[in-house]
């Protein structure tokens, strides 16, 4: 399996990031060296770096979510498996049936399958994002 890198765009939400997405990724076995936070400017970079775990990288990208996502796409070498995750993801669920969801415990297996599908479809990037509704 290729190495997966995790890209997280964030803006003025370091507390949310540290309460949700970072603990989730670390708990599910991602190495902090695989995780990069992308922020709008150097002031944000300073604020985030003061709260991030030691080996999580923080990169100053550009203001605006579209600009940041474009920056992320250009930041990594071609062929890199980039898992882009929002900064407010507390869990990753899968639909079991019309009424139930369950936590995806094997996040690495999920990611591997998703990237294999993406490569087959010639997709270069995909995203996990927070969603308030579990019945979608």
């Amino acid at each position: 399996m290729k190495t997966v890198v995790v890209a997280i765009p964030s803006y003025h939400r370091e507390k949310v990031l540290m309460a949700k997405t970072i603990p989730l990724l670390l708990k599910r076995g991602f190495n902090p060296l695989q995780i990069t936070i992308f922020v709008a400017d150097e002031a944000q970079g300073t604020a985030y770096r003061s709260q991030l775990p030691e080996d999580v990288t923080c990169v100053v990208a550009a203001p605006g979510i579209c600009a940041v996502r474009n920056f992320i796409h250009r930041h990594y070498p071609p062929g890199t498996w980039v898992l882009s995750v929002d900064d407010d993801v507390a869990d990753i669920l899968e639909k079991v049936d019309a009424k139930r969801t369950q936590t995806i415990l094997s996040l690495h297996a999920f990611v591997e399958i998703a990237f294999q599908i993406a490569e087959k479809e010639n997709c270069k990037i995909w995203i996990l994002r927070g969603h308030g509704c579990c019945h979608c």
Side-chain angles (χ1 to χ4, degrees), residues 40-70:
D41 56 41
E42 194 53 53
Q44 286 288 289
T46 300
Y48 277 77
R49 286 183 196 105
S50 71
Q51 295 190 35
L52 290 171
E54 184 177 328
D55 291 329
V56 172
T57 303
C58 183
V59 171
V60 174
I65 191 62
C66 290
V68 172
R69 293 205 190 282
N70 287 331

Side-chain angles (χ1 to χ4, degrees), residues 24 28 89-107 109-111 113-114 128-129 131 133-136:
L24 170 70
R28 299 291 174 82
V89 179
D91 201 0
I92 299 171
L93 307 174
E94 64 183 338
K95 191 171 185 175
V96 175
D97 57 38
K99 295 183 181 181
R100 296 180 302 146
T101 59
Q102 66 185 15
T103 295
I104 297 175
L105 297 175
S106 183
L107 186 55
F110 170 80
V111 169
I113 290 166
L128 291 177
R129 68 174 195 85
H131 196 281
C133 173
C134 293
H135 305 292
C136 299

Side-chain angles (χ1 to χ4, degrees), residues 11-132:
Y11 183 72
H12 286 290
R13 290 167 48 107
E14 56 271 22
K15 289 181 180 160
V16 171
L17 174 71
M18 289 305 301
K20 294 184 176 187
T21 305
I22 294 294
L24 170 70
L25 293 170
L26 297 177
K27 182 172 76 175
R28 299 291 174 82
F30 282 93
N31 183 322
L33 294 170
Q34 293 173 271
I35 303 169
T36 302
I37 313 306
F38 292 87
V39 298
D41 56 41
E42 194 53 53
Q44 286 288 289
T46 300
Y48 277 77
R49 286 183 196 105
S50 71
Q51 295 190 35
L52 290 171
E54 184 177 328
D55 291 329
V56 172
T57 303
C58 183
V59 171
V60 174
I65 191 62
C66 290
V68 172
R69 293 205 190 282
N70 287 331
F71 183 95
I72 289 169
H73 181 71
R74 292 185 309 272
H75 181 76
Y76 296 102
T80 303
W81 280 1
V82 180
L83 174 63
S84 185
V85 183
D86 282 357
D87 59 9
D88 60 352
V89 179
D91 201 0
I92 299 171
L93 307 174
E94 64 183 338
K95 191 171 185 175
V96 175
D97 57 38
K99 295 183 181 181
R100 296 180 302 146
T101 59
Q102 66 185 15
T103 295
I104 297 175
L105 297 175
S106 183
L107 186 55
H108 282 286
F110 170 80
V111 169
E112 183 179 61
I113 290 166
F115 273 110
Q116 289 170 354
I117 293 167
E119 278 191 342
K120 192 180 290 185
E121 298 296 324
N122 199 29
C123 295
K124 308 244 185 286
I125 189 169
W126 57 279
I127 184 171
L128 291 177
R129 68 174 195 85
H131 196 281

